Amino acid sequence: MKRLEGKAGVITAAGSGMGAAGARLFAAEGAKVLIVDINREAAESTAQEIREAGGVAIACVGDLTSEAFSRGIVAQTVEAFGRLDFVWNHAGHPGPVGLTEASNADIELALTLNLRSVMFSTAEAIEVMRKGGGGSILFTASTSGLVGSKYSPVYSAAKFGVIGLARSLARAHAGEGIRVNVVCPGVTDTPMLRTFVRRPGQVDDSDKDLESLVTQRASASPMGRPAQPEEVANAALFLVSNEASYITGVALPVDGGLTA
Ligand SMILES: NC(=O)c1ccc[n+]([C@@H]2O[C@H](COP(=O)([O-])OP(=O)(O)OC[C@H]3O[C@@H](n4cnc5c(N)ncnc54)[C@H](O)[C@@H]3O)[C@@H](O)[C@H]2O)c1
């Protein structure tokens, strides 16, 4: 039996990176998946790839900084598949490098995409899941949600917030069969990693090329390499699946030992 057989749900930022890897994996394990992304081509490409592999996936294009869109992805999942078993709130934004240089707009975007928008989709999901007898909600935080981040204070604050939100909801909704967990990636080989390391102002060695900066960042982990997106997707699958039936309120680092 496949690990998500008969289940349906939604993954945000699933047009690329870990979200796309998760969508492919969840679908291969039997789930029907709504692929949410602001980038139409990316969302459709992930969905198409899944369908070509024999899975079920539908692209859903929109901007998660919009409250209406963020709330609406839950109804769209139910409309498309007739049920809602999981929500993986994966989308995020690196935010500004330093607090002293950050504008209100920089702070607003980072707080909105990482923290505020997931409250809307999750509120809708809880309403549906409590009527359906339960479900699994997963958030993506970061190792920056577990320890402070020198170059991303606003991002780190938002990701600490995501973990606080998840732990609170885990306690509040355990009795309704709703599990709420967090995956905390470390340095992971996706386009966002490249956005992180090339933001102006965070490194003194701006003469280095992008891939050298990525290698340098990854060398901070005891494993000395970045995670591949699939390695994070495997952890997400476990937390969402029934194998984690007695696990709620955890923030699981997938970081090669970075926070050990
Ligand atoms: N890559 C890393 O090293 C790393 C480490 C820790 C945590 N994270 C977290 O992982 C998540 C991002 O994952 P990734 O590295 O797989 O990224 P990625 O760059 O591969 O993909 C991000 C996707 O998000 C989409 N997106 C951006 N803004 C959006 C919006 N407003 N509405 C809808 N979609 C939007 C993009 O189009 C893109 O397809 C974030 O929550 C990030 O904080 C990443």
Side-chain angles (χ1 to χ4, degrees):
M1 172 110 166
K2 291 180 173 175
R3 295 159 76 188
L4 296 179
E5 194 69 57
K7 294 187 189 290
V10 49
I11 304 179
T12 68
S16 173
M18 296 174 251
R24 289 191 295 267
L25 181 61
F26 286 23
E29 289 292 344
K32 296 173 182 168
V33 188
L34 193 78
I35 309 289
V36 174
D37 206 287
I38 198 170
N39 181 327
R40 177 174 298 279
E41 207 182 318
E44 285 176 352
S45 153
T46 304
Q48 181 67 21
E49 202 185 328
I50 288 170
R51 288 194 293 268
E52 282 169 5
V56 179
I58 296 175
C60 172
V61 180
D63 183 350
L64 288 160
T65 63
S66 147
E67 177 187 346
F69 180 71
S70 209
R71 286 189 185 278
I73 61 175
V74 166
Q76 291 203 50
T77 308
V78 175
E79 196 182 308
F81 307 129
R83 57 187 297 134
L84 181 82
D85 301 286
F86 63 85
V87 173
W88 181 6
N89 290 298
H90 177 64
H93 189 278
V97 171
L99 188 61
T100 50
E101 299 80 27
S103 68
N104 190 20
D106 293 336
I107 293 170
E108 187 64 25
L109 176 58
L111 292 183
T112 297
L113 194 53
N114 288 296
L115 183 57
R116 185 176 296 127
S117 73
V118 303
M119 296 192 196
F120 301 134
S121 53
T122 301
E124 299 294 320
I126 288 168
E127 294 285 11
V128 174
M129 287 176 176
R130 59 160 46 127
K131 286 183 199 136
S136 179
I137 296 169
L138 183 66
F139 296 94
T140 298
S142 166
T143 48
S144 302
L146 297 168
V147 294
S149 170
K150 183 176 172 187
Y151 292 123
S152 304
V154 179
Y155 175 80
S156 181
K159 295 299 196 184
F160 267 79
V162 167
I163 294 174
L165 175 70
R167 287 184 172 153
S168 303
L169 296 175
R171 296 182 73 109
H173 299 288
E176 296 170 306
I178 301 172
R179 295 186 301 104
V180 188
N181 291 297
V182 188
V183 66
C184 298
V187 179
T188 309
D189 195 358
T190 70
M192 190 175 287
L193 173 59
R194 285 157 181 80
T195 306
F196 265 109
V197 298
R198 86 171 158 229
R199 288 173 304 165
Q202 67 178 327
V203 280
D204 305 325
D205 39 14
S206 49
D207 54 318
K208 283 199 174 156
D209 65 53
L210 187 56
E211 291 314 306
S212 307
L213 291 172
V214 167
T215 306
Q216 179 180 304
R217 182 64 69 94
S219 69
S221 126
M223 287 195 185
R225 65 167 178 86
Q228 290 308 305
E230 291 73 18
E231 294 178 288
V232 178
N234 282 330
L237 171 63
F238 167 69
L239 289 172
V240 162
S241 77
N242 290 343
E243 289 161 28
S245 54
Y246 200 59
I247 298 177
T248 196
V250 307
L252 177 67
V254 184
D255 66 355
L258 188 65
T259 53

